[in-house]
Amino acid sequence: MNRLLFLIAFSFLFQFNSNAQEAINNYKYIIIDNQYDFQKSEDQYQLNSLTKFLFNKYGYEAYLQNDEFPTDLGANNCLGLKAVLKDVKGGFLVTKVQIDLVDCKNNVIASSVIGRTKIKEYKKAYNRALRDAFATYQNFDYKYNGNAGKETSMTSQPVVEVKETEKVPEEAIDVRKKEEAKEVVKDTVEPEVETVEEQAVVTPSAANKKEILYAQPIDNGFQIVDTEPKKVMILLYSGSPDMYIVQGKDAVVYRSNGAWVYAENNGEGLKVKKINLKF
């Protein structure tokens, strides 16, 4: 009986993932508000920047509301889904969030698992919970199918929702518990975190703001070298010509307002800085 229930549950989850991915593939972009409903200020706890970072890292093309949009998105916002982060109430001393993807008609197209943590410090708690919730979207083999902006009914494109009882994989839970245990033994006093614009990227050769970096084509991307020349990093194709994944790091390089930007999440926050990159 247990084996039968497992097979039924697995089949249901597989079908859910297929439906969710098919629905999301109908949209070309992800749009993130500068401030979610539960936040007291724009990009509080760097949640909006982190949401954009995670979507871009895993192959989507995401923009903050105040970014310069591609021409087609600026002319038709129905090409994109809005990522809405919800603060899920309930549970003593537990931070819980969920990511909805909403179309231009305010229909919820997909909802993530509920990410949760017992970390007490707000910034770290929301960042960890957001990463847990993003587990729903990071495993999709997202690929835009060209259907954005076309009329779709709720019967042909069902709302995909994950119930709270659907759990994050055990491997992810084990890692999260270990990280939370480390937080408990750390000194609770932390230096104030700078804003995204003020932070410096920690890379071996990015200390010199005027340094020019050059992109050399390789299989699946580019090798980035400085003027010595010395290899700085490897950029891998993401599917978008304006965004690359940094090999071996939780980081991306993307083009914003005509300039190239390096963004890295090092566990303490999102580090962002413009780089002088030549292709």
mmCIF file of all heavy atoms in Angstrom, residues 180-220:
data_model
loop_
_atom_site.group_PDB
_atom_site.id
_atom_site.type_symbol
_atom_site.label_atom_id
_atom_site.label_comp_id
_atom_site.label_asym_id
_atom_site.label_seq_id
_atom_site.Cartn_x
_atom_site.Cartn_y
_atom_site.Cartn_z
ATOM 1 N N GLU A 180 21.140 26.569 9.591
ATOM 2 C CA GLU A 180 20.468 27.217 10.700
ATOM 3 C C GLU A 180 21.203 26.940 12.005
ATOM 4 O O GLU A 180 21.285 27.791 12.882
ATOM 5 C CB GLU A 180 19.017 26.728 10.789
ATOM 6 C CG GLU A 180 18.154 27.245 9.639
ATOM 7 C CD GLU A 180 16.731 26.747 9.726
ATOM 8 O OE1 GLU A 180 16.398 26.060 10.719
ATOM 9 O OE2 GLU A 180 15.939 27.063 8.813
ATOM 10 N N ALA A 181 21.753 25.717 12.133
ATOM 11 C CA ALA A 181 22.504 25.387 13.340
ATOM 12 C C ALA A 181 23.737 26.262 13.476
ATOM 13 O O ALA A 181 24.115 26.692 14.570
ATOM 14 C CB ALA A 181 22.915 23.912 13.311
ATOM 15 N N LYS A 182 24.380 26.563 12.336
ATOM 16 C CA LYS A 182 25.554 27.440 12.363
ATOM 17 C C LYS A 182 25.167 28.838 12.815
ATOM 18 O O LYS A 182 25.918 29.502 13.526
ATOM 19 C CB LYS A 182 26.186 27.502 10.966
ATOM 20 C CG LYS A 182 26.837 26.198 10.525
ATOM 21 C CD LYS A 182 27.408 26.345 9.126
ATOM 22 C CE LYS A 182 28.009 25.037 8.637
ATOM 23 N NZ LYS A 182 28.527 25.174 7.251
ATOM 24 N N GLU A 183 23.969 29.298 12.373
ATOM 25 C CA GLU A 183 23.538 30.640 12.743
ATOM 26 C C GLU A 183 23.356 30.772 14.248
ATOM 27 O O GLU A 183 23.582 31.809 14.836
ATOM 28 C CB GLU A 183 22.219 30.988 12.041
ATOM 29 C CG GLU A 183 22.329 31.087 10.532
ATOM 30 C CD GLU A 183 23.288 32.159 10.095
ATOM 31 O OE1 GLU A 183 23.467 33.125 10.836
ATOM 32 O OE2 GLU A 183 23.866 32.006 9.006
ATOM 33 N N VAL A 184 22.920 29.679 14.923
ATOM 34 C CA VAL A 184 22.650 29.732 16.349
ATOM 35 C C VAL A 184 23.912 29.998 17.148
ATOM 36 O O VAL A 184 23.908 30.718 18.137
ATOM 37 C CB VAL A 184 22.001 28.409 16.814
ATOM 38 C CG1 VAL A 184 21.867 28.381 18.332
ATOM 39 C CG2 VAL A 184 20.633 28.242 16.170
ATOM 40 N N VAL A 185 25.061 29.416 16.707
ATOM 41 C CA VAL A 185 26.292 29.558 17.474
ATOM 42 C C VAL A 185 27.075 30.801 17.099
ATOM 43 O O VAL A 185 28.079 31.120 17.714
ATOM 44 C CB VAL A 185 27.198 28.311 17.272
ATOM 45 C CG1 VAL A 185 26.510 27.073 17.770
ATOM 46 C CG2 VAL A 185 27.592 28.169 15.798
ATOM 47 N N LYS A 186 26.639 31.529 16.078
ATOM 48 C CA LYS A 186 27.338 32.743 15.676
ATOM 49 C C LYS A 186 27.035 33.885 16.625
ATOM 50 O O LYS A 186 25.999 33.927 17.277
ATOM 51 C CB LYS A 186 26.926 33.156 14.249
ATOM 52 C CG LYS A 186 27.656 32.390 13.168
ATOM 53 C CD LYS A 186 27.299 33.007 11.828
ATOM 54 C CE LYS A 186 28.056 32.329 10.698
ATOM 55 N NZ LYS A 186 27.739 32.933 9.403
ATOM 56 N N ASP A 187 27.944 34.849 16.691
ATOM 57 C CA ASP A 187 27.688 36.062 17.440
ATOM 58 C C ASP A 187 26.515 36.771 16.795
ATOM 59 O O ASP A 187 26.472 36.961 15.588
ATOM 60 C CB ASP A 187 28.933 36.966 17.396
ATOM 61 C CG ASP A 187 28.787 38.203 18.269
ATOM 62 O OD1 ASP A 187 27.703 38.417 18.836
ATOM 63 O OD2 ASP A 187 29.769 38.949 18.376
ATOM 64 N N THR A 188 25.529 37.187 17.600
ATOM 65 C CA THR A 188 24.314 37.782 17.055
ATOM 66 C C THR A 188 24.502 39.224 16.620
ATOM 67 O O THR A 188 23.656 39.794 15.980
ATOM 68 C CB THR A 188 23.193 37.727 18.096
ATOM 69 O OG1 THR A 188 23.640 38.374 19.293
ATOM 70 C CG2 THR A 188 22.823 36.282 18.415
ATOM 71 N N VAL A 189 25.620 39.859 16.981
ATOM 72 C CA VAL A 189 25.865 41.239 16.599
ATOM 73 C C VAL A 189 26.562 41.260 15.247
ATOM 74 O O VAL A 189 27.630 40.684 15.082
ATOM 75 C CB VAL A 189 26.740 41.957 17.645
ATOM 76 C CG1 VAL A 189 27.005 43.387 17.213
ATOM 77 C CG2 VAL A 189 26.050 41.928 19.004
ATOM 78 N N GLU A 190 25.951 41.917 14.272
ATOM 79 C CA GLU A 190 26.507 41.976 12.930
ATOM 80 C C GLU A 190 26.668 43.416 12.492
ATOM 81 O O GLU A 190 25.902 44.289 12.898
ATOM 82 C CB GLU A 190 25.577 41.291 11.927
ATOM 83 C CG GLU A 190 25.401 39.810 12.188
ATOM 84 C CD GLU A 190 24.531 39.202 11.125
ATOM 85 O OE1 GLU A 190 24.342 39.836 10.070
ATOM 86 O OE2 GLU A 190 24.025 38.101 11.343
ATOM 87 N N PRO A 191 27.663 43.706 11.644
ATOM 88 C CA PRO A 191 27.787 45.058 11.099
ATOM 89 C C PRO A 191 26.622 45.348 10.174
ATOM 90 O O PRO A 191 26.034 44.441 9.583
ATOM 91 C CB PRO A 191 29.107 44.990 10.308
ATOM 92 C CG PRO A 191 29.270 43.554 9.976
ATOM 93 C CD PRO A 191 28.697 42.801 11.136
ATOM 94 N N GLU A 192 26.259 46.613 10.064
ATOM 95 C CA GLU A 192 25.156 47.012 9.190
ATOM 96 C C GLU A 192 25.510 46.721 7.747
ATOM 97 O O GLU A 192 26.622 46.986 7.289
ATOM 98 C CB GLU A 192 24.878 48.509 9.362
ATOM 99 C CG GLU A 192 23.679 48.973 8.545
ATOM 100 C CD GLU A 192 23.377 50.435 8.789
ATOM 101 O OE1 GLU A 192 24.005 51.026 9.686
ATOM 102 O OE2 GLU A 192 22.527 50.983 8.078
ATOM 103 N N VAL A 193 24.554 46.145 7.015
ATOM 104 C CA VAL A 193 24.767 45.788 5.614
ATOM 105 C C VAL A 193 24.583 47.018 4.747
ATOM 106 O O VAL A 193 23.617 47.758 4.885
ATOM 107 C CB VAL A 193 23.775 44.684 5.186
ATOM 108 C CG1 VAL A 193 23.998 44.326 3.723
ATOM 109 C CG2 VAL A 193 23.949 43.460 6.071
ATOM 110 N N GLU A 194 25.518 47.237 3.823
ATOM 111 C CA GLU A 194 25.416 48.378 2.919
ATOM 112 C C GLU A 194 24.340 48.116 1.886
ATOM 113 O O GLU A 194 23.881 47.003 1.691
ATOM 114 C CB GLU A 194 26.751 48.592 2.199
ATOM 115 C CG GLU A 194 27.904 48.920 3.144
ATOM 116 C CD GLU A 194 29.221 48.945 2.376
ATOM 117 O OE1 GLU A 194 29.371 48.155 1.438
ATOM 118 O OE2 GLU A 194 30.071 49.758 2.715
ATOM 119 N N THR A 195 23.913 49.164 1.207
ATOM 120 C CA THR A 195 22.953 49.000 0.129
ATOM 121 C C THR A 195 23.638 48.331 -1.045
ATOM 122 O O THR A 195 24.867 48.301 -1.137
ATOM 123 C CB THR A 195 22.398 50.364 -0.330
ATOM 124 O OG1 THR A 195 23.484 51.147 -0.837
ATOM 125 C CG2 THR A 195 21.740 51.096 0.826
ATOM 126 N N VAL A 196 22.826 47.784 -1.958
ATOM 127 C CA VAL A 196 23.372 47.068 -3.107
ATOM 128 C C VAL A 196 24.322 47.938 -3.903
ATOM 129 O O VAL A 196 25.387 47.516 -4.336
ATOM 130 C CB VAL A 196 22.214 46.569 -4.014
ATOM 131 C CG1 VAL A 196 22.762 46.003 -5.309
ATOM 132 C CG2 VAL A 196 21.396 45.519 -3.278
ATOM 133 N N GLU A 197 23.959 49.209 -4.105
ATOM 134 C CA GLU A 197 24.767 50.076 -4.942
ATOM 135 C C GLU A 197 26.130 50.356 -4.320
ATOM 136 O O GLU A 197 27.095 50.642 -5.013
ATOM 137 C CB GLU A 197 24.040 51.405 -5.157
ATOM 138 C CG GLU A 197 22.816 51.310 -6.057
ATOM 139 C CD GLU A 197 21.626 50.719 -5.339
ATOM 140 O OE1 GLU A 197 21.687 50.550 -4.095
ATOM 141 O OE2 GLU A 197 20.617 50.431 -6.011
ATOM 142 N N GLU A 198 26.232 50.275 -2.969
ATOM 143 C CA GLU A 198 27.479 50.636 -2.309
ATOM 144 C C GLU A 198 28.413 49.457 -2.136
ATOM 145 O O GLU A 198 29.573 49.617 -1.801
ATOM 146 C CB GLU A 198 27.159 51.222 -0.924
ATOM 147 C CG GLU A 198 26.419 52.556 -0.997
ATOM 148 C CD GLU A 198 25.927 52.986 0.368
ATOM 149 O OE1 GLU A 198 25.818 52.116 1.258
ATOM 150 O OE2 GLU A 198 25.669 54.174 0.541
ATOM 151 N N GLN A 199 27.900 48.228 -2.337
ATOM 152 C CA GLN A 199 28.716 47.069 -2.061
ATOM 153 C C GLN A 199 29.728 46.816 -3.173
ATOM 154 O O GLN A 199 29.498 47.123 -4.330
ATOM 155 C CB GLN A 199 27.827 45.829 -1.891
ATOM 156 C CG GLN A 199 26.978 45.918 -0.633
ATOM 157 C CD GLN A 199 25.972 44.796 -0.577
ATOM 158 O OE1 GLN A 199 25.748 44.130 -1.585
ATOM 159 N NE2 GLN A 199 25.376 44.595 0.570
ATOM 160 N N ALA A 200 30.851 46.204 -2.791
ATOM 161 C CA ALA A 200 31.886 45.873 -3.762
ATOM 162 C C ALA A 200 31.850 44.388 -4.064
ATOM 163 O O ALA A 200 31.567 43.577 -3.193
ATOM 164 C CB ALA A 200 33.260 46.246 -3.208
ATOM 165 N N VAL A 201 32.145 44.020 -5.281
ATOM 166 C CA VAL A 201 32.214 42.627 -5.653
ATOM 167 C C VAL A 201 33.548 42.055 -5.216
ATOM 168 O O VAL A 201 34.600 42.636 -5.468
ATOM 169 C CB VAL A 201 32.073 42.476 -7.189
ATOM 170 C CG1 VAL A 201 32.236 41.028 -7.597
ATOM 171 C CG2 VAL A 201 30.725 43.014 -7.633
ATOM 172 N N VAL A 202 33.506 40.884 -4.585
ATOM 173 C CA VAL A 202 34.745 40.275 -4.121
ATOM 174 C C VAL A 202 35.234 39.323 -5.195
ATOM 175 O O VAL A 202 34.824 38.175 -5.277
ATOM 176 C CB VAL A 202 34.512 39.507 -2.801
ATOM 177 C CG1 VAL A 202 35.805 38.917 -2.291
ATOM 178 C CG2 VAL A 202 33.913 40.440 -1.764
ATOM 179 N N THR A 203 36.094 39.808 -6.072
ATOM 180 C CA THR A 203 36.704 38.989 -7.107
ATOM 181 C C THR A 203 38.189 39.316 -7.154
ATOM 182 O O THR A 203 38.609 40.432 -6.837
ATOM 183 C CB THR A 203 36.092 39.256 -8.495
ATOM 184 O OG1 THR A 203 36.192 40.651 -8.779
ATOM 185 C CG2 THR A 203 34.623 38.845 -8.508
ATOM 186 N N PRO A 204 39.042 38.350 -7.544
ATOM 187 C CA PRO A 204 40.480 38.559 -7.498
ATOM 188 C C PRO A 204 40.973 39.767 -8.268
ATOM 189 O O PRO A 204 41.944 40.408 -7.883
ATOM 190 C CB PRO A 204 41.030 37.258 -8.117
ATOM 191 C CG PRO A 204 39.954 36.261 -7.906
ATOM 192 C CD PRO A 204 38.671 37.006 -7.994
ATOM 193 N N SER A 205 40.325 40.094 -9.372
ATOM 194 C CA SER A 205 40.884 41.147 -10.209
ATOM 195 C C SER A 205 39.925 42.297 -10.450
ATOM 196 O O SER A 205 40.060 43.025 -11.409
ATOM 197 C CB SER A 205 41.316 40.557 -11.552
ATOM 198 O OG SER A 205 40.208 39.975 -12.178
ATOM 199 N N ALA A 206 38.919 42.437 -9.574
ATOM 200 C CA ALA A 206 37.965 43.527 -9.763
ATOM 201 C C ALA A 206 38.200 44.665 -8.777
ATOM 202 O O ALA A 206 37.394 45.567 -8.682
ATOM 203 C CB ALA A 206 36.542 43.003 -9.620
ATOM 204 N N ALA A 207 39.300 44.620 -8.043
ATOM 205 C CA ALA A 207 39.555 45.663 -7.059
ATOM 206 C C ALA A 207 39.819 46.998 -7.742
ATOM 207 O O ALA A 207 39.462 48.060 -7.252
ATOM 208 C CB ALA A 207 40.746 45.270 -6.190
ATOM 209 N N ASN A 208 40.470 46.956 -8.886
ATOM 210 C CA ASN A 208 40.748 48.175 -9.620
ATOM 211 C C ASN A 208 39.540 48.541 -10.465
ATOM 212 O O ASN A 208 39.192 47.859 -11.421
ATOM 213 C CB ASN A 208 41.978 47.966 -10.529
ATOM 214 C CG ASN A 208 42.380 49.242 -11.238
ATOM 215 O OD1 ASN A 208 41.642 50.226 -11.260
ATOM 216 N ND2 ASN A 208 43.562 49.224 -11.817
ATOM 217 N N LYS A 209 38.863 49.612 -10.108
ATOM 218 C CA LYS A 209 37.622 49.987 -10.775
ATOM 219 C C LYS A 209 37.819 50.278 -12.260
ATOM 220 O O LYS A 209 36.912 50.151 -13.057
ATOM 221 C CB LYS A 209 37.005 51.205 -10.089
ATOM 222 C CG LYS A 209 36.561 50.939 -8.670
ATOM 223 C CD LYS A 209 35.923 52.169 -8.060
ATOM 224 C CE LYS A 209 35.459 51.905 -6.639
ATOM 225 N NZ LYS A 209 34.842 53.091 -6.022
ATOM 226 N N LYS A 210 39.029 50.702 -12.640
ATOM 227 C CA LYS A 210 39.259 51.072 -14.034
ATOM 228 C C LYS A 210 39.757 49.902 -14.859
ATOM 229 O O LYS A 210 40.012 50.054 -16.048
ATOM 230 C CB LYS A 210 40.272 52.221 -14.091
ATOM 231 C CG LYS A 210 39.771 53.500 -13.410
ATOM 232 C CD LYS A 210 40.792 54.607 -13.525
ATOM 233 C CE LYS A 210 40.315 55.891 -12.858
ATOM 234 N NZ LYS A 210 41.302 56.978 -12.951
ATOM 235 N N GLU A 211 39.930 48.746 -14.246
ATOM 236 C CA GLU A 211 40.495 47.614 -14.960
ATOM 237 C C GLU A 211 39.577 47.144 -16.085
ATOM 238 O O GLU A 211 38.370 47.020 -15.898
ATOM 239 C CB GLU A 211 40.733 46.457 -13.988
ATOM 240 C CG GLU A 211 41.369 45.250 -14.661
ATOM 241 C CD GLU A 211 41.694 44.159 -13.663
ATOM 242 O OE1 GLU A 211 41.194 44.230 -12.535
ATOM 243 O OE2 GLU A 211 42.444 43.253 -14.043
ATOM 244 N N ILE A 212 40.163 46.885 -17.227
ATOM 245 C CA ILE A 212 39.411 46.406 -18.379
ATOM 246 C C ILE A 212 39.493 44.889 -18.419
ATOM 247 O O ILE A 212 40.575 44.312 -18.274
ATOM 248 C CB ILE A 212 39.955 47.002 -19.692
ATOM 249 C CG1 ILE A 212 39.861 48.534 -19.664
ATOM 250 C CG2 ILE A 212 39.172 46.460 -20.879
ATOM 251 C CD1 ILE A 212 40.473 49.204 -20.869
ATOM 252 N N LEU A 213 38.371 44.240 -18.603
ATOM 253 C CA LEU A 213 38.301 42.798 -18.728
ATOM 254 C C LEU A 213 37.902 42.455 -20.162
ATOM 255 O O LEU A 213 37.086 43.146 -20.764
ATOM 256 C CB LEU A 213 37.285 42.215 -17.744
ATOM 257 C CG LEU A 213 37.528 42.508 -16.261
ATOM 258 C CD1 LEU A 213 36.395 41.945 -15.411
ATOM 259 C CD2 LEU A 213 38.864 41.944 -15.806
ATOM 260 N N TYR A 214 38.492 41.384 -20.690
ATOM 261 C CA TYR A 214 38.246 40.999 -22.067
ATOM 262 C C TYR A 214 37.625 39.598 -22.125
ATOM 263 O O TYR A 214 38.047 38.690 -21.397
ATOM 264 C CB TYR A 214 39.543 41.015 -22.874
ATOM 265 C CG TYR A 214 40.164 42.393 -22.970
ATOM 266 C CD1 TYR A 214 41.134 42.797 -22.057
ATOM 267 C CD2 TYR A 214 39.775 43.284 -23.960
ATOM 268 C CE1 TYR A 214 41.704 44.068 -22.130
ATOM 269 C CE2 TYR A 214 40.335 44.551 -24.048
ATOM 270 C CZ TYR A 214 41.295 44.935 -23.125
ATOM 271 O OH TYR A 214 41.851 46.198 -23.200
ATOM 272 N N ALA A 215 36.628 39.421 -22.998
ATOM 273 C CA ALA A 215 35.946 38.142 -23.159
ATOM 274 C C ALA A 215 36.546 37.387 -24.339
ATOM 275 O O ALA A 215 36.586 37.893 -25.454
ATOM 276 C CB ALA A 215 34.449 38.366 -23.373
ATOM 277 N N GLN A 216 37.028 36.180 -24.072
ATOM 278 C CA GLN A 216 37.579 35.316 -25.115
ATOM 279 C C GLN A 216 36.647 34.130 -25.328
ATOM 280 O O GLN A 216 36.355 33.397 -24.369
ATOM 281 C CB GLN A 216 38.977 34.818 -24.705
ATOM 282 C CG GLN A 216 39.981 35.934 -24.487
ATOM 283 C CD GLN A 216 41.311 35.424 -23.976
ATOM 284 O OE1 GLN A 216 41.398 34.308 -23.449
ATOM 285 N NE2 GLN A 216 42.353 36.228 -24.111
ATOM 286 N N PRO A 217 36.133 33.926 -26.537
ATOM 287 C CA PRO A 217 35.171 32.843 -26.782
ATOM 288 C C PRO A 217 35.749 31.465 -26.474
ATOM 289 O O PRO A 217 36.897 31.162 -26.817
ATOM 290 C CB PRO A 217 34.857 32.980 -28.278
ATOM 291 C CG PRO A 217 35.219 34.391 -28.621
ATOM 292 C CD PRO A 217 36.395 34.721 -27.751
ATOM 293 N N ILE A 218 34.965 30.642 -25.798
ATOM 294 C CA ILE A 218 35.269 29.232 -25.561
ATOM 295 C C ILE A 218 33.981 28.454 -25.778
ATOM 296 O O ILE A 218 32.926 29.034 -26.011
ATOM 297 C CB ILE A 218 35.815 28.981 -24.137
ATOM 298 C CG1 ILE A 218 34.772 29.434 -23.099
ATOM 299 C CG2 ILE A 218 37.136 29.700 -23.910
ATOM 300 C CD1 ILE A 218 35.143 29.078 -21.663
ATOM 301 N N ASP A 219 34.059 27.129 -25.683
ATOM 302 C CA ASP A 219 32.849 26.322 -25.798
ATOM 303 C C ASP A 219 31.880 26.688 -24.676
ATOM 304 O O ASP A 219 32.265 26.774 -23.507
ATOM 305 C CB ASP A 219 33.183 24.827 -25.702
ATOM 306 C CG ASP A 219 33.930 24.335 -26.928
ATOM 307 O OD1 ASP A 219 33.878 25.027 -27.959
ATOM 308 O OD2 ASP A 219 34.567 23.268 -26.843
ATOM 309 N N ASN A 220 30.642 26.930 -25.038
ATOM 310 C CA ASN A 220 29.560 27.213 -24.079
ATOM 311 C C ASN A 220 29.690 28.551 -23.364
ATOM 312 O O ASN A 220 29.030 28.778 -22.349
ATOM 313 C CB ASN A 220 29.450 26.099 -23.027
ATOM 314 C CG ASN A 220 29.118 24.759 -23.644
ATOM 315 O OD1 ASN A 220 28.324 24.686 -24.571
ATOM 316 N ND2 ASN A 220 29.738 23.706 -23.135
#
